[in-house]
Amino acid sequence: MSELRLLGPAEIRDLAELTGVTPTKKLGQNFVIDANTVRRIVRVAEVEAGDTVVEIGPGLGSLTLGLLEAGAAVIAVEIDGRLAEQLPVTVAQLAADATRRLTVIHQDALTVTSLPADPARLVANLPYNVSVPVLLHFLEHFPSLRSGVVMVQAEVGHRIAAGPGSKVYGAPSVKAAWYGTWRVAGTVSRQIFWPVPNVDSVLVGFERHERAGDESLRKRTFALVDAAFQQRRKTLRQSLSSVFGDPASAEAALEAAGIASSLRGEQLRLDDFVRLASGS
Ligand code: SAM
């Protein structure tokens, strides 16, 4: 479809006033006021006409309009009732031809387990306080998701995309790796938000890969990951004793999986955790 008028600072302020929304930190409400950034996200996500995209936290619609401009069908999940109610009105005004491609769901994204259509991509400027749980929740519940790009707090983005050996490698990195391969796809100035947040942001992209195992193996793997990183300074023999019952049992399980019990969680890759979970 042809170029739309996307939301700038004046439109965002007008819409906030119209809906009575004073952005809250609790809901991570920092709205994008820059059309170039919106188009960049859509481009990096390689959104094409006809794609079904799920957007979490559409807010006042900055990114939603960019996704619709690219010809996507958008399912937008928004927790704030005033924003969820206003979004179809905004789209009807600025992109009348695209209204039938928009579905708005007024719900906490963390509780969404079914959608009206199977989304192929996830594209979102995620609420910062729940970005990792929301991402993992959607990857768990929507196997149709093949790829996506999300804007998150820089620190979180680098952690998600990190590998063993990196200082920021942690439980989110290993869990994210269960689902796919991740990359930091660019930095974003804090000036493109209203209100301006006190942290930097990055774009993080993912491509889903073949399943590393079934649901029960995933749960066992994630339990080991949580235990290993909860006490990241401890050796695996100690940190995993809560999962295996005691340090000696943890040591035996580690040995059976060919992993030295003197290592720490941050030294293991996803496949090490999976091997250990497979034997447990
Ligand atoms: N996408 C918009 C943009 O780029 O301007 C807004 C992004 S803002 C960072 C995050 C949005 O997520 C807000 O609209 C907020 O109300 C919404 N939100 C926060 N927590 C949520 C949750 N648990 N489920 C769904 N939406 C949520």
Side-chain angles (χ1 to χ4, degrees):
M1 90 181 269
S2 54
E3 230 176 57
L4 293 176
R5 208 179 92 219
L6 301 186
L7 305 177
E11 288 86 355
I12 288 290
R13 272 165 223 258
D14 287 351
L15 281 168
E17 202 177 307
L18 182 72
T19 51
V21 168
T22 309
T24 67
K25 274 206 170 148
K26 186 166 162 251
L27 291 180
Q29 291 176 331
N30 298 94
F31 303 114
V32 175
I33 55 169
D34 176 51
N36 289 333
T37 303
V38 166
R39 293 199 171 103
R40 177 176 163 216
I41 297 171
V42 173
R43 206 171 45 242
V44 172
E46 298 180 351
V47 174
E48 289 175 2
D51 285 349
T52 300
V53 176
V54 64
E55 182 191 2
I56 296 146
L60 293 166
S62 307
L63 181 55
T64 319
L65 285 163
L67 293 166
L68 292 170
E69 181 182 69
V74 181
I75 305 169
V77 182
E78 172 60 57
I79 198 170
D80 187 323
R82 296 162 301 178
L83 298 173
E85 205 176 310
Q86 176 62 32
L87 187 56
V89 180
T90 304
V91 170
Q93 281 166 355
L94 297 177
D97 293 350
T99 44
R100 65 195 158 72
R101 285 189 275 117
L102 173 69
T103 310
V104 180
I105 297 174
H106 173 208
Q107 200 173 328
D108 178 348
L110 285 168
T111 67
V112 172
T113 51
S114 70
L115 290 170
D118 292 334
R121 298 183 198 275
L122 190 163
V123 185
N125 170 15
L126 289 175
Y128 285 179
N129 39 351
V130 287
S131 51
V132 170
V134 162
L135 257 184
L136 295 176
H137 177 85
F138 270 71
L139 284 162
E140 180 188 335
H141 287 93
F142 299 101
S144 61
L145 285 174
R146 303 315 309 162
S147 68
V149 170
V150 291
M151 181 145 66
V152 292
Q153 199 175 325
E155 189 195 322
V156 172
H158 287 290
R159 186 182 287 280
I160 292 172
S166 156
K167 257 197 239 153
V168 293
Y169 184 63
S173 333
V174 191
K175 290 181 181 179
W178 171 273
Y179 296 105
T181 50
W182 299 75
R183 66 188 191 287
V184 173
T187 57
V188 180
S189 157
R190 56 181 87 177
Q191 301 304 326
I192 60 97
F193 296 97
W194 177 76
V196 177
N198 50 15
V199 290
D200 291 320
S201 298
V202 291
L203 298 180
V204 177
F206 70 86
E207 304 284 334
R208 193 190 276 263
H209 54 44
E210 284 309 305
R211 281 200 333 166
D214 63 15
E215 187 54 14
S216 102
L217 182 60
R218 182 190 70 74
K219 284 191 174 142
R220 289 203 304 280
T221 304
F222 281 23
L224 288 170
V225 170
D226 284 332
F229 285 99
Q230 206 160 29
Q231 302 176 302
R232 45 181 314 139
R233 310 214 132 263
K234 294 198 170 169
T235 65
L236 291 167
R237 183 180 193 276
Q238 292 167 306
S239 61
L240 297 183
S241 61
S242 58
V243 179
F244 290 100
D246 54 64
S249 309
E251 182 161 356
L254 285 157
E255 200 170 294
I259 301 166
S261 62
S262 57
L263 294 178
R264 292 192 302 268
E266 64 202 33
Q267 292 169 286
L268 300 198
R269 295 152 39 104
L270 169 70
D271 49 356
D272 296 319
F273 282 109
V274 172
R275 214 167 53 251
L276 188 57
S278 304
S280 63

